[in-house]
Amino acid sequence: MPGSTTLVSRRNSRRYAADAGLLFVAAAFVLPLAWVLLSSVDPKADLKVKVPDGVTLDNFDAVLKPDITFTPLLNSLILCGGATLLTVVCAALAAYPLSRFRSRLNRPFLLTILFATSLPITAIMVPVYALFVQVDLIDTMQGTIFFFAASQLPFAIWLMKNFMDGVPKELEEAAWTDGASSFQSLLRIVLPLMGPGVAVVTVFSFVMMWGNFFVPFMLLLTPDQMPASVSINDFFGNRGTVVYGQLAAFSIIYSTPVVLLYVLVARRLGGGFALGGAVKG
């Protein structure tokens, strides 16, 4: 029938348009990654995505030095790891009463948290810098860890609360009947059952901190304390000269901890909660 043929052709056109859009988005992600991988082993790397004439590891040899890579990566792991741990712990403690206890203040508090996530970090750095100078936290690792955690905490609380709502309260009530406290039920029942949620918050917080350039650049002054997100700026010369091969090699090394973290928690991320039959019987 003519009508059905027209309908099928419209559906095919929409499918082709969607496929073309997805291919364009995929190319936008693949091309930068291809440049990083190819340039890292190219002795004459530039801004073009091309197959290198010869493969070399000299770019990795040039950047695998304590002052260029190892010390900045260690600083990044200390800053982001400590801030992520602090963020996850505080988010769990803050999300628990929001999820389990009903109050008139819950909704306004959650809306305030949601508003806090939209504040640009550049808008608050000037008063934060002045405050850190007054309390003698400027140019300290612990001060930067505290601010990292504080900046990620609003969204982490929001995420953690939504995941915590998926854990049946009946399981906690059974634990309370056996004499467990609220803190014990959170630690031994809620958090183990919402493992994928905790993994999501952990990965999200760590990734956001790992790629943050502005905060450590403002709060840390000593070069030996700079993380890799700041030290990568050293590959850009004062007159626009860039060693592209070494920059690409450093980028691969810099991305490795994030990739490893995702691989380690990928099984939990895809595991789901599986709480359907937990309260039956």
Side-chain angles (χ1 to χ4, degrees), residues 3-240:
S4 60
T5 303
T6 304
L7 182 61
V8 171
S9 63
R10 288 180 180 178
R11 289 179 179 177
N12 290 335
S13 300
R14 292 175 181 175
R15 186 180 63 184
Y16 295 147
D19 292 341
L22 291 175
L23 288 175
F24 178 78
V25 173
F29 282 94
V30 169
L31 286 178
L33 293 177
W35 178 87
V36 170
L37 293 175
L38 294 175
S39 298
S40 65
V41 295
D42 189 352
K44 299 179 180 180
D46 52 25
L47 286 176
K48 297 180 181 179
V49 180
K50 58 185 178 63
V51 178
D53 297 332
V55 177
T56 179
L57 296 179
D58 292 342
N59 294 324
F60 289 93
D61 292 336
V63 301
L64 287 176
K65 304 291 177 58
D67 58 332
I68 298 178
T69 300
F70 298 133
T71 300
L73 280 180
L74 179 61
N75 293 335
S76 293
L77 289 173
I78 294 174
L79 287 174
C80 300
T84 299
L85 178 62
L86 185 60
T87 299
V88 172
V89 172
C90 293
L93 294 176
Y96 183 74
L98 293 172
S99 175
R100 289 302 186 253
F101 304 107
R102 303 304 175 192
S103 171
R104 295 180 179 178
L105 300 178
N106 280 13
R107 181 175 175 80
F109 183 74
L110 289 173
L111 292 177
T112 302
I113 290 176
L114 187 62
F115 171 75
T117 61
S118 63
L119 290 175
I121 199 72
T122 53
I124 62 176
M125 279 309 300
V126 172
V128 167
Y129 184 88
L131 175 63
F132 272 44
V133 171
Q134 292 293 325
V135 298
D136 199 24
L137 283 178
I138 199 71
D139 196 26
T140 62
M141 298 288 281
Q142 61 269 26
T144 309
I145 288 175
F146 290 150
F147 184 75
F148 261 147
S151 62
Q152 293 299 322
L153 196 55
F155 196 69
I157 293 175
W158 185 274
L159 278 179
M160 193 77 75
K161 190 263 180 186
N162 289 334
F163 283 116
M164 203 170 287
D165 288 343
V167 179
K169 191 175 181 180
E170 290 82 357
L171 298 176
E172 289 184 84
E173 292 174 348
W176 294 339
T177 303
D178 294 335
S181 63
S182 297
F183 181 76
Q184 289 174 329
S185 64
L186 169 65
L187 192 62
R188 299 180 180 180
I189 297 177
V190 178
L191 291 180
L193 289 176
M194 56 174 290
V198 176
V200 168
V201 175
T202 300
V203 172
F204 177 83
S205 301
F206 187 86
V207 170
M208 294 299 293
M209 297 173 193
W210 188 261
N212 194 304
F213 168 85
F214 189 63
V215 170
F217 180 76
M218 291 292 296
L219 299 182
L220 295 174
L221 307 177
T222 305
D224 292 340
Q225 292 184 341
M226 291 297 179
S229 59
V230 177
S231 67
I232 196 174
N233 190 52
D234 296 338
F235 290 97
F236 297 88
N238 294 328
R239 298 183 179 180

